[in-house]
Amino acid sequence: MRVSRLELISIGYIEEDYEMLIFMKNAKKILSKDEALSVIRYYAGRAYVSNRYSCIWVEDTSGREGTFDLQSNLMCENAVMPNYDKLLPPIIGSEPYTIVCANEFTEFLAAMKPVNACTPKKQIATLLLVWRMDGLTAYMRSAKMNVSYRFSSMPTNIENGQTFYAAFDARRLSDLVDYFRQRTAPVRFYPPVRKYAPLRMEVDTELISAVPAGGLIAPLTRFEEERFTDVIPDKAE
């Protein structure tokens, strides 16, 4: 029997408990790929799980520090902690971003689904994100399909004529999009401002009262640019 969010809260769960349940559910999905270690890392008030290409996190109030096995919940001695301060430096407020509304995650997943399904498993389903002054658009193209999805919000901190773009593995990105879909909160998409920098996504806690959470995913270093020549900006950051 599935229990609704309101029912969980009514029987004693607080908001942080529910958000941690969502995190734990999606942790297994992230850790099942790319030979990831089945561990949760607690660092500076956050819980992290990551594989070679992506990471999700949520605010954690348990006071834990260190690396813990996902199954046994025992601390892993001598485990190496990634440099999360470098991967996710503090937001200073001037970074460009576009807000993705909660309802758009379901639509975005639906737009990605046919391309992911039609791309052979051994091939990468390429998704291109392009930030422009007039908004953020996702382009998904294969030999048989041409799909695009335009997000509704206008960008913030993008100057006139400024554009950003990066390509991602649509299947891996789908996992992170589904994580945020379950959180039912608006999320800021920060474009990679340097070549090969990751896409950073964080719940917009200024727009709505919500438990802080986020994620990141590495871009593709190589992809079939000729499929996207009509949408790749001539001048991009």
Side-chain angles (χ1 to χ4, degrees):
M1 181 178 67
R2 299 184 67 180
V3 182
S4 71
R5 183 172 187 165
L6 289 177
E7 288 171 329
L8 281 170
I9 294 173
S10 69
I11 62 176
Y13 281 89
I14 60 175
E15 187 76 6
E16 289 81 1
D17 294 322
Y18 181 76
E19 301 299 334
M20 184 56 77
L21 285 174
I22 294 175
F23 174 80
M24 294 299 292
K25 175 183 175 182
N26 287 271
K28 296 178 181 178
K29 187 187 302 182
I30 298 295
L31 295 175
S32 68
K33 298 180 178 180
D34 304 309
E35 302 178 354
L37 293 176
S38 186
V39 296
I40 298 178
R41 294 179 170 95
Y42 296 88
Y43 174 72
R46 292 178 177 180
Y48 296 86
V49 293
S50 56
N51 56 40
R52 290 166 56 194
Y53 300 99
S54 61
C55 163
I56 60 172
W57 63 267
V58 67
E59 183 181 71
D60 172 68
T61 57
S62 69
R64 280 185 168 186
E65 288 285 331
T67 303
F68 290 77
D69 183 87
L70 182 65
Q71 303 302 324
S72 68
N73 204 31
L74 296 176
M75 188 172 185
C76 302
E77 300 294 338
N78 302 317
V80 177
M81 182 71 70
N83 189 343
Y84 289 117
D85 291 331
K86 183 177 180 179
L87 287 171
L88 294 161
I91 298 294
I92 62 175
S94 60
E95 297 87 350
Y97 67 87
T98 297
I99 294 174
V100 175
C101 300
N103 64 298
E104 290 181 308
F105 287 108
T106 299
E107 298 174 355
F108 189 26
L109 280 172
M112 285 192 280
K113 187 175 181 178
V115 176
N116 286 340
C118 292
T119 303
K121 289 186 177 181
K122 292 185 178 181
Q123 295 181 15
I124 294 175
T126 302
L127 181 144
L128 188 75
L129 288 176
V130 181
W131 287 258
R132 302 184 182 91
M133 275 289 297
D134 60 352
L136 170 61
T137 305
Y139 301 94
M140 295 150 279
R141 294 177 178 177
S142 67
K144 298 180 179 180
M145 302 196 72
N146 186 336
V147 178
S148 64
Y149 182 83
R150 184 178 176 83
F151 297 91
S152 61
S153 297
M154 295 297 290
T156 298
N157 296 333
I158 293 184
E159 300 175 0
N160 187 31
Q162 199 174 28
T163 57
F164 303 89
Y165 77 93
F168 302 91
D169 183 323
R171 292 192 181 100
R172 292 194 178 100
L173 182 59
S174 293
D175 291 338
L176 273 70
V177 169
D178 193 40
Y179 173 57
F180 290 114
R181 177 191 64 80
Q182 295 167 52
R183 306 201 78 87
T184 63
V187 175
R188 295 183 180 186
F189 275 42
Y190 292 92
V193 295
R194 302 181 313 278
K195 192 173 184 179
Y196 305 141
L199 166 65
R200 183 171 180 173
M201 296 157 279
E202 296 198 4
V203 170
D204 193 333
T205 55
E206 294 181 7
L207 196 62
I208 187 174
S209 177
V211 174
L216 59 80
I217 182 170
L220 297 174
T221 56
R222 291 180 294 177
F223 65 99
E224 295 179 291
E225 294 190 29
E226 61 273 12
R227 292 189 187 276
F228 302 91
T229 52
D230 60 315
V231 295
I232 291 178
D234 293 331
K235 295 181 179 179
E237 299 298 318

